Amino acid sequence: MLVHIPNVLTPEEVAHCRTTLEKSEWVDGRVTAGDQSAKAKFNLQIPQDSAEGRALGEIILRALGRNPTFNSAALPLRVFPPLFNRYDAGMRFHAHVDNAIRPVPGTGFRMRTDVSSTLFLSEMEDYDGGELVIQDTFGVQNVRFPAGDMVLYPSSSLHSVSPVTRGSRWASFFWTQSMVQDDTQRTLLYQFDQSIIETRKLLPDDSPAVLGLTSTYHNLLRQWAQL
């Protein structure tokens, strides 16, 4: 399931992120890549342990907490601290699959990556190229959204970033361990939840239809969730 979530960050939050990142140190993006991905990755990143990255990551985590679409689609159990990357002209990331397990910095814990996220921080007119190309059972999608928008997709997907030919593409990226590991089940629950939302616009919350749909949704979540 691929989900586009508009306006995860407000314009003011995007501007703050950009201002902070412009003053930050950038390093070779291969520092967070596995052995195979490191051979395919050509970009820049903010160091994982930087104070700027941690502060901006907190802003993004708060934004995710208030976003109903993210919570409905990802069903988050754990969210990896957001990272930040940059593709200048000529940079790209060849096709790869994200690592299945990642150590969470500073915790001693590891998490499974079920859902990958890219949150765009550059306006579309500021660069050419740089599309996030995602390949999965839903086909091939070329993703390029306005600053503040985010895309969710299964971490099992083969994906790449096409070469930037003009300007610079900045983004935040991170992973979510979902309460529901299986993407098909997550998709069904997300679609079910969207149907409940639409039904509640037409019927009162205490109507038998709404109560029945809500009950079934939570019983399915209870059956499929892994905590």
Side-chain angles (χ1 to χ4, degrees), residues 95-106:
H96 64 286
V97 172
D98 291 333
N99 291 347
I101 305 295
R102 299 195 71 94
V104 181

Side-chain angles (χ1 to χ4, degrees), residues 11-224:
E12 293 76 17
E13 287 170 330
V14 171
H16 175 72
C17 289
R18 292 280 310 191
T19 299
T20 301
L21 292 174
E22 286 168 0
K23 302 174 183 176
S24 301
E25 174 193 11
W26 293 88
V27 299
D28 192 318
R30 287 174 287 189
V31 295
T32 58
D35 290 341
Q36 186 173 0
S37 293
K39 300 173 184 177
K41 188 176 187 180
F42 304 94
N43 67 2
L44 300 172
Q45 285 183 202
I46 297 296
Q48 270 187 293
D49 58 352
S50 73
E52 297 89 348
R54 290 195 301 270
L56 295 182
E58 288 297 323
I59 292 173
I60 291 172
L61 292 175
R62 288 196 295 271
L64 297 178
R66 69 178 182 243
N67 191 287
T69 304
F70 170 76
N71 287 282
S72 176
L75 294 169
L77 178 62
R78 298 182 182 90
V79 178
F80 193 88
L83 301 172
F84 299 86
N85 62 19
R86 169 179 172 177
Y87 292 81
D88 292 336
M91 294 183 177
R92 65 178 303 173
F93 200 161
H94 294 282
H96 64 286
V97 172
D98 291 333
N99 291 347
I101 305 295
R102 299 195 71 94
V104 181
T107 67
F109 295 103
R110 295 181 295 172
M111 60 173 277
R112 186 183 64 241
T113 58
D114 297 321
V115 180
S116 296
S117 300
T118 295
L119 173 58
F120 293 86
L121 297 174
S122 294
E123 295 296 348
M124 296 173 65
E125 61 268 22
D126 290 344
Y127 66 99
D128 293 328
E131 293 88 357
L132 175 62
V133 183
I134 305 170
Q135 305 176 48
D136 207 305
T137 53
F138 45 72
V140 178
Q141 302 286 335
N142 290 277
V143 177
R144 196 168 181 267
F145 293 136
D149 286 17
M150 186 169 73
V151 63
L152 306 182
Y153 58 97
S155 297
S156 57
S157 304
L158 191 68
H159 59 284
S160 61
V161 176
S162 62
V164 171
T165 58
R166 179 188 64 87
S168 187
R169 171 200 189 269
W170 296 16
S172 176
F173 64 102
F174 53 91
W175 302 271
T176 300
Q177 179 172 335
S178 177
M179 291 184 287
V180 176
Q181 180 178 1
D182 184 84
D183 181 59
T184 299
Q185 293 173 342
R186 275 199 316 276
T187 300
L188 289 171
L189 287 169
Y190 174 65
Q191 293 170 342
F192 204 156
D193 191 33
Q194 298 308 297
S195 294
I196 293 172
I197 291 171
E198 292 303 313
T199 302
R200 291 179 62 194
K201 295 177 181 177
L202 303 173
L203 299 173
D205 285 349
D206 60 354
S207 69
V210 171
L211 291 174
L213 289 171
T214 303
S215 174
T216 302
Y217 171 87
H218 283 285
N219 285 331
L220 285 172
L221 180 58
R222 184 175 291 110
Q223 180 176 350
W224 291 339

